[in-house]
Amino acid sequence: YRSLTYKTIPPHVHQQVVQSDLYALWREGASLVRRDLWNVLDLGQPRTSSAGHKWAYKKAMRAGLTVDRLGVNDYAPFHAMLAGGLMEHHGAKPVHTLKELLDLQQRFPQVIQLWGCHAPDGELLAGTWLFELRTKCWHTQYITGSARGRDLFATDLLLEELLNQAMTAGVGHFSLGCSTDEAGRN
C-alpha cells in the first residue's frame, strides 16, 4: 500500500473516549486531510429551545402531523424525497442508494431505524435514518423533508419527538451529523 485514509469514530459515539489511534498516526507522520464539524446535543444538559422552534413545533402539532417508526415499504418514498432535496438544495446525490439503505437496515435491524413525519392524509413529509447506538448516542444519518413538510414544520416535529424519546430512554447524546463539505473546508 502507498497510502492509507483513516477516518476516526467521533468521540460522542465512543463507549470510552480515547484517542490513542490519533496519537499513533501522528507519531508515524500522518497528516490531517479533513476535519468535520459535528452537531451534537448533550442530553444530560438542560435544553433550551428558541421561540421560533417552539412556534414551529406547535404549528406542526396543530396541523395534525404524526411521527412514527417507518417500515421497509417506506424506504423508497424516503429515498426519493432525500434524493430530490439534496439535488435541489445542494446539487448532490445521497451517499447511499436505496438498495444500500435497505441492506444496512436488514443487517442491523436493532440499530438502524427509519423515522418519519406524516400529514393527516398519510403523505410522508419528513424523515430521518436513525442509528440508535445503545444509550450512548442516537445519530441521524439523513434528515430530509418535502416542500409541503417544510411549510408545515414537519422536520421540527420529527426531531423534537426523537429528542424526547432519546431523553426518556436515557441516551447521552443526540447527533445531527456533520455540517461540512469539501473535506471540512466549508
Side-chain angles (χ1 to χ4, degrees), residues 9-14 17 36-48 131 133 135-141 143 159 163 166-167 171-180:
I9 296 172
H12 61 275
V13 178
H14 282 238
V17 178
D36 290 309
L37 177 63
W38 286 84
N39 300 295
V40 180
L41 298 171
D42 181 346
L43 300 182
Q45 298 298 317
R47 270 188 66 222
T48 58
F131 289 52
L133 306 172
T135 58
K136 179 64 178 170
C137 179
W138 284 9
H139 168 72
T140 55
Q141 181 65 27
I143 303 170
L159 293 176
L163 278 166
M167 287 186 290
V171 174
H173 295 90
F174 193 90
S175 168
L176 297 163
C178 63
S179 59
T180 52

Side-chain angles (χ1 to χ4, degrees), residues 78 82 86 94-97 101 127-130 140-144:
F78 168 76
L82 174 66
L86 284 172
V95 173
H96 297 89
T97 65
L101 291 180
T128 188
W129 204 36
L130 186 73
T140 55
Q141 181 65 27
Y142 294 115
I143 303 170
T144 190

Side-chain angles (χ1 to χ4, degrees), residues 6-24:
Y6 181 80
K7 196 170 183 181
T8 62
I9 296 172
H12 61 275
V13 178
H14 282 238
Q15 287 299 312
Q16 181 178 5
V17 178
V18 293
Q19 294 186 328
S20 54
D21 54 343
L22 299 179
Y23 179 74

Side-chain angles (χ1 to χ4, degrees), residues 108-123:
F108 305 100
Q110 300 304 316
V111 175
I112 300 174
Q113 302 294 329
L114 183 62
W115 284 84
C117 182
H118 289 92
D121 63 10
E123 179 186 352

Side-chain angles (χ1 to χ4, degrees), residues 36-169:
D36 290 309
L37 177 63
W38 286 84
N39 300 295
V40 180
L41 298 171
D42 181 346
L43 300 182
Q45 298 298 317
R47 270 188 66 222
T48 58
S49 295
S50 69
H53 177 71
K54 291 175 185 174
W55 177 86
Y57 175 79
K58 288 177 184 175
K59 183 169 181 172
M61 291 294 290
R62 283 192 302 272
L65 307 188
T66 57
V67 172
D68 54 0
R69 186 174 289 170
L70 304 180
V72 173
N73 294 335
D74 297 302
Y75 271 75
F78 168 76
H79 194 270
M81 183 188 331
L82 174 66
L86 284 172
M87 186 55 66
E88 178 184 346
H89 299 288
H90 304 287
K93 295 180 180 179
V95 173
H96 297 89
T97 65
L98 173 58
K99 183 178 177 185
E100 289 169 334
L101 291 180
L102 288 166
D103 178 59
L104 288 166
Q105 195 284 324
Q106 289 170 359
R107 289 175 189 246
F108 305 100
Q110 300 304 316
V111 175
I112 300 174
Q113 302 294 329
L114 183 62
W115 284 84
C117 182
H118 289 92
D121 63 10
E123 179 186 352
L124 181 63
L125 301 174
T128 188
W129 204 36
L130 186 73
F131 289 52
E132 296 179 12
L133 306 172
R134 300 186 191 98
T135 58
K136 179 64 178 170
C137 179
W138 284 9
H139 168 72
T140 55
Q141 181 65 27
Y142 294 115
I143 303 170
T144 190
S146 67
R148 182 179 176 206
R150 286 187 293 278
D151 290 342
L152 295 173
F153 302 96
T155 303
D156 292 84
L157 179 63
L158 173 65
L159 293 176
E160 187 67 30
E161 291 295 320
L162 290 173
L163 278 166
N164 289 335
Q165 287 189 32
M167 287 186 290
T168 299

